[in-house]
Amino acid sequence: GKMLIAMFLLVSAFFIFRFFRSFYEVPPEDFMNAGLLSALAIIAGEFLVILSSFCTIWMASDELQDELSEIARIDPLTGLYNRRAFDEYCDIEFSRAQRSGAPFAIIMCDLDHFKRVNDQYGHHVGDEVLRRFANTLKEHIRKHDVVARFGGEEFVLLLPGKDTEQGLEVAEKLRAKTADTQITIGDDVCLTLSASFGVAHYDSSDREWSAVLHRADNALYAAKKQGRNRVVDLATKNPGEECLSRTPSVIRI
């Protein structure tokens, strides 16, 4: 919108300038002796220069603002969205779900025993592990799904249009892919990791999307408590009640 307005103003100013200059051509130094049309042509030329400078600064500042806004939504280590951006997407999806009843699922996941990586190999290796895991998540979801780094070694995914069963399938695919991937860093480090996943879906009685996130977080806690490297869905809103769990063998670092 702003770009089109700026282009329109520039083109308009150019044709105004051409119109006046076509009537009378006088060098700028003869401005005081020039006729009215020449004076107007010179003024139009100066106006065009000023307008061009203004539009250039305006568009540059607008682009810079967009870039800064996008940077504020990105986690610098992994390149994924950060929690702020995730919250914004959840607000949008929750509003859509309330209007249309469309389902959505949230997955929370956490790398198992990640502290051991930092303690044994150092934070530079830990950072690379987080980047590799982030890439695994990003590469195995749909384009309109949202994945974000929630903090530390914890990540969260928003799956529009997915119910719990479909969310479980996505989480299990990500769990298996993580467990099957060896991470080699340099000549000395070769790791096989595992991750735990908690899944929850939107319920029509939810008053805010954070209720779904809370259930996913409780499910993740249950996955950790049950032995890690598994996918858990709390089947009800009460985290103390029965839950659905998929429990493969645990792969440790």
Side-chain angles (χ1 to χ4, degrees):
K2 290 183 178 180
M3 180 71 75
L4 291 176
I5 293 172
M7 291 178 64
F8 174 77
L9 290 174
L10 283 172
V11 172
S12 299
F14 174 74
F15 279 106
I16 291 172
F17 172 71
R18 286 284 302 273
F19 172 77
F20 285 115
R21 291 291 289 184
S22 66
F23 277 93
Y24 203 84
E25 292 285 339
V26 174
E29 59 268 19
D30 294 336
F31 175 78
M32 297 303 295
N33 299 321
L36 176 61
L37 290 178
S38 179
L40 290 175
I42 294 171
I43 292 172
E46 295 297 326
F47 173 75
L48 178 60
V49 172
I50 295 172
L51 182 63
S52 299
S53 301
F54 172 76
C55 289
T56 300
I57 295 172
W58 181 30
M59 289 184 288
S61 63
D62 195 47
E63 291 176 1
L64 178 60
Q65 183 63 37
D66 290 342
E67 289 179 7
L68 291 175
S69 178
E70 185 63 21
I71 290 173
R73 293 158 49 86
I74 299 297
D75 172 60
L77 177 63
T78 62
L80 300 180
Y81 287 118
N82 58 22
R83 184 167 180 174
R84 171 186 171 184
F86 183 80
D87 289 354
E88 292 173 0
Y89 280 111
C90 283
D91 285 337
I92 295 171
E93 195 58 36
F94 184 72
S95 296
R96 179 165 36 236
Q98 286 188 308
R99 290 193 308 269
S100 65
F104 70 86
I106 290 179
I107 300 174
M108 292 201 70
C109 54
D110 191 311
L111 280 169
D112 298 330
H113 305 294
F114 179 72
K115 187 176 182 298
R116 295 183 186 177
V117 176
N118 281 333
D119 291 345
Q120 184 172 349
Y121 300 103
H123 288 279
H124 67 289
V125 172
D127 288 348
E128 183 60 26
V129 167
L130 291 176
R131 281 190 286 265
R132 301 281 185 91
F133 182 59
N135 288 337
T136 297
L137 298 178
K138 186 165 54 177
E139 290 171 0
H140 293 86
I141 58 174
R142 301 169 300 175
K143 289 184 178 180
H144 59 277
D145 293 334
V146 179
V147 57
R149 186 183 179 197
F150 206 64
E153 68 271 27
E154 198 168 55
F155 296 79
V156 61
L157 298 94
L158 171 65
L159 309 178
K162 297 283 191 183
D163 57 23
T164 299
E165 188 60 33
Q166 293 168 322
L168 283 168
E169 292 174 0
V170 173
E172 175 58 25
K173 179 178 70 173
L174 295 172
R175 185 209 63 77
K177 187 65 179 177
T178 301
D180 290 342
T181 301
Q182 281 195 336
I183 298 178
T184 302
I185 303 173
D187 298 327
D188 303 323
V189 180
C190 184
L191 303 174
T192 300
L193 303 176
S194 67
S196 300
F197 295 79
V199 183
H201 70 281
Y202 165 73
D203 187 277
S204 59
S205 63
D206 289 327
R207 295 186 176 274
E208 52 188 20
W209 64 263
S210 60
V212 187
L213 182 69
H214 181 67
R215 293 197 296 276
D217 190 39
N218 286 337
L220 174 60
Y221 176 78
K224 293 285 190 181
K225 192 174 181 180
Q226 292 178 24
R228 298 181 172 85
N229 190 28
R230 64 196 63 220
V231 177
V232 170
D233 160 51
L234 294 179
T236 69
K237 288 191 175 184
N238 184 349
E241 295 184 19
E242 182 182 359
C243 64
L244 176 63
S245 175
R246 302 186 179 188
T247 56
S249 59
V250 177
I251 301 175
R252 302 188 184 278
I253 296 174

